Every structure is written in C-alpha cells, then in structure tokens.
Amino acid sequence: MNTTGPSETLDHQTTLMGTLSGLFNKEEFSDLRLVVNQTLSLNVHRFILAVRSEVFRALLDTERWADAKGRVVQLTEDGDCLAHFPDFLRYLYSGSVALDTGNALALHALSEKYAVGELRESCRLFMLANVAAPGTCNRAVSWHRYAKLAGLGRLEEQCLRFIGWNLDTVIESPDWAQMEPGPLGSLLQRSDLVVEDEAVLFRALASWLSPRPGRAQEMLAHLRYPMMPPDKLFELQAPGGLAEGLASYLLRESLLVYQAHLLPAEAIARQHDLTAIPFTMRLYTAGRVSALWDIPGYGAMSKTVLSKSMYTRFFQLKTEWSLTYFPKGHRIVTQRHTHYTYHGYDQVVQEDDFATLSVSVTGCDPADKSHSHKNHSHKLSVLLYRCVRGEWFVCEVKTLEVPHGGEAEIHDLIPLSERDQYVSDDTMKLCLVGQTVWEKSESV
C-alpha cells in the first residue's frame, strides 16, 4: 500500500541560474572587488569564484595569498585578454558566453589560466571549427601563433595549412599587419603557397612593410620576381603607387621580369639557373597558369565521365592539358543486349566509387622549336575547395607529375566518405594549376 501520497519533482534550475547570473558585478552581497591591470574594477563573490575555478579557490585561500585577506584583489592580465575579462567572469556566474572569432582566443587563454575546463575545451573546438573564415574576421594568423605557444598541435597545423592555401583571404584579415617577421619569412619561402600571382604577394608585403621599412631588404628577397606577370609589374610601377624604397627595389628586379617573359628559356638559362627558387612556380590561381572547374548538378549526376582541356603559359612555354574526371566513380559497359520483344539494355561488368582524375599533356609548345622536353617536366596541382558559410576555401591540395606523351592519374581524388563535404549548392569546385619544372642540364 502506497503511503507516501502524491509527489512531484520541481526543476527550477533555470530560475536559479538566472538569479546567480544577476549577481554578476553587483555590489549587493559582494565580498570582494577585482581590479584588473589597475583599470578594470569588478564586484564579485568569493564563493562563486572558488566553486567555479580551482585557481581562484587557491588564490582566495587566505593562508596562501596575503592579498586575499582584504576586500580588493589586484590581477594582471595580458592586454589582449583585458577587454574580454568581464565576459569570462560573467561565464563563471552564468555558464553562458557568446563565442566569436574576436574573443575565442582570449577566453581560451583566460580559461586555461584559471583552470575552467569546459570553457577552455569549448573555445578550442570553436577555433578548430572556424579556422576557415572570411578575411574581415579571419584569425588564422593569431590563432596559429597562440596554438604554437599553448601546445595546441591540431589547431596549429590547421591554421598553418589554411594560411598557406588561402593567402588571398589571410591578406585581407585584421591579423595580416600584425604577422611576426619570422613566420612571414617562412611563409614567403613556400612553393606550395596558394595565391593569385606574385604581384598580389608583393602588394600584401608592401602593406606589411609600411610600418616596418627596416625589414624591406630581408622580406623582399623572398619574392619570386621572374614569376610576376609583366602587366601586373607595370601597374605596380605606376607613379606614386609605392614608397620610394620599394619602388627602387622593384625597378632593380624589373629587367629580369621582362626578360623572363619575352626571351626563350634557353636564353635566360645562359645567365640564370632556371632550377633556382626565384624561377620556381608557386600555386598561382591566376588564369595564365590555372583553370577553375566548377561541377554543378552533383546530386543528380550519374557515374559519368567529365572532360576538360586547359592551356597554361609559363614564360614562353605553352602547355595544353587534357583531363578526365569521374566525380562519382566508374561504370564500365562492355556490350548492349537486345531482344525482339524488349528494349535494349546495358550490361555493366565493372563499377566502383573511385573519383578518378586522369591527366595528360597533349601539347607543349616552346617559342624555340628546338627546345628539348628533357629540360623540363610538368606537374598538375588540384586545389579542392570547401564552402564554409557561403565562402569557398582551399582545404586540400593534391599534386601529380605528368610525363610528356603519357598519362598520370589520381586514383581517388576525394574518397566517397568525404565527398559530401566538398559539395555546396549542388556544386563541387576545383582549381587546376599547371606547373612547369625546369631540370638541370648543360643548356636549356
């Protein structure tokens, strides 16, 4: 027989949290005042700080910290964290905070310092998920610097990849002007740098150098001037377009730029090593050496083959490429059966899900017809894009060597399990970058 009578479980946690949240920075019932960097003053409650943070609990132990005996505690925080300290403290009261690319790093640093584990992990995951962000709010540079110092290996790696493969976005970010000389110098030496062309890189570097003219010689030496399109060079040299020091430096390099694009490669090779870094292509997305390949209607597409031809020009060497791509895999049919009472039907003898990309060089036409194919080879780099909140970013690069008169293949460009991540608005987007690689020889 039930003698307890009616029962009901009350859940007023939301009301309780609202009440606690309302105590934030209220003088009523507060028993402590935090003064941060001698500028920010906040009324707090010892109990809430001690319960929410092990570090605060230790600091407020009067036997360990003499300052905690009074009603005013002085704290010192990093300047970048100061503006976000109230949000951090409010989180201790409410368990709620709005994360964005502007505050995630500071809140992670504060939660790391004060051992607030849930907030720290949430900030880490937020940064990992938002490395790819539009230029105006992209923080890959500062997040990379912080991740390296804080030992966040995965975040460090993702930021470094994003910076190298989406430099046009990073250049527009608020972090670009604050990039440190060491990482910038390393970045400029990379051949896998994805950027529109070398002239865009020069303009970005000129902007970075504006408050640092003393770094000009060091940084400008990393640019690959023979790779600069002559028409873009001409635009850069417009009167008044550059600071005097940069204009003079560019003028000294301009003769080689025009020579490299007007003379046969064998003539340039008499005075320059074409295998040296200045003559090595980066992953340029300008139309002269690359082609975008948008693939619409992906959802309804069958296992069909797509074909594409493209032309690239590297100095005086014009290359024709032929590509075939199976976005969803192969379906190979060997014969068609018919019956006098039925329509014909195809017999499928082989089928797979491999997104195979095949590439061949179908034409290689140097200005000098005596030029030997032995002096250069070809590579094709495929830039794979993902769409993040309406913006397309390079998230993977795959490269293959393509022999003269032969064919090269990437067996599975995008594995089936990952393919949906590369489709947005029923479209897949690739960029094909054709590269010429000069090889050592007695003469070119």
Side-chain angles (χ1 to χ4, degrees), residues 137-375:
C137 57
N138 189 276
R139 295 291 180 175
V141 170
S142 56
W143 289 0
H144 174 259
R145 180 171 60 245
Y146 175 75
K148 191 172 184 179
L149 293 173
L152 302 176
R154 187 179 169 197
L155 179 62
E156 178 187 354
E157 179 184 350
Q158 286 199 21
C159 288
L160 188 61
R161 283 160 57 99
F162 183 88
I163 293 167
W165 291 346
N166 297 274
L167 193 60
D168 291 337
T169 296
V170 174
I171 287 169
E172 301 299 325
S173 76
D175 283 350
W176 175 252
Q178 306 303 320
M179 195 168 189
E180 295 178 346
L184 178 58
S186 298
L187 183 70
L188 295 175
Q189 296 177 59
R190 291 175 57 176
S191 293
D192 68 336
L193 207 59
V194 176
V195 66
E196 182 181 344
D197 57 40
E198 204 72 15
V200 168
L201 199 53
F202 183 93
R203 286 190 184 277
L205 185 55
S207 172
W208 185 89
L209 287 169
S210 181
R212 309 174 182 86
R215 294 278 187 176
Q217 192 75 19
E218 168 194 356
M219 293 300 175
L220 290 170
H222 295 311
L223 295 188
R224 305 180 182 186
Y225 295 95
M227 301 293 103
M228 192 175 291
D231 57 330
K232 295 290 188 70
L233 171 63
F234 185 75
E235 293 176 5
L236 287 171
Q237 293 180 309
L242 295 172
E244 183 177 348
L246 298 183
S248 299
Y249 193 99
L250 190 59
L251 181 62
R252 292 197 299 271
E253 299 290 341
S254 61
L255 177 60
L256 178 58
V257 176
Y258 292 120
Q259 288 176 335
H261 287 271
L262 292 174
L263 299 175
E266 67 170 6
I268 302 298
R270 296 190 189 109
Q271 299 183 29
H272 301 277
D273 179 7
L274 294 186
T275 66
I277 292 296
F279 292 88
T280 302
M281 296 178 66
R282 305 186 199 267
L283 297 178
Y284 299 120
T285 58
R288 184 182 181 91
V289 294
S290 71
L292 284 174
W293 195 356
D294 287 351
I295 303 173
Y298 180 83
M301 187 179 295
S302 62
K303 291 188 176 181
T304 185
V305 60
L306 304 178
S307 300
K308 185 176 183 67
S309 296
M310 58 180 278
Y311 295 87
T312 60
R313 183 176 291 277
F314 179 63
F315 298 155
Q316 291 298 301
L317 185 67
K318 181 179 179 182
T319 305
E320 181 179 359
W321 307 76
S322 179
L323 303 99
T324 59
Y325 181 40
F326 293 83
K328 291 190 170 181
H330 295 79
R331 177 178 286 124
I332 300 176
V333 179
T334 58
Q335 57 184 319
R336 187 170 180 83
H337 295 265
T338 58
H339 192 276
Y340 68 92
T341 58
Y342 298 99
H343 295 293
Y345 64 93
D346 295 333
Q347 180 181 3
V348 179
V349 298
Q350 181 179 339
E351 184 171 353
D352 62 48
D353 294 318
F354 299 122
T356 303
L357 178 73
S358 299
V359 186
S360 61
V361 173
T362 55
C364 186
D365 183 21
D368 181 1
K369 299 299 183 180
S370 65
H371 183 82
S372 170
H373 287 169
K374 295 181 180 180
N375 295 317

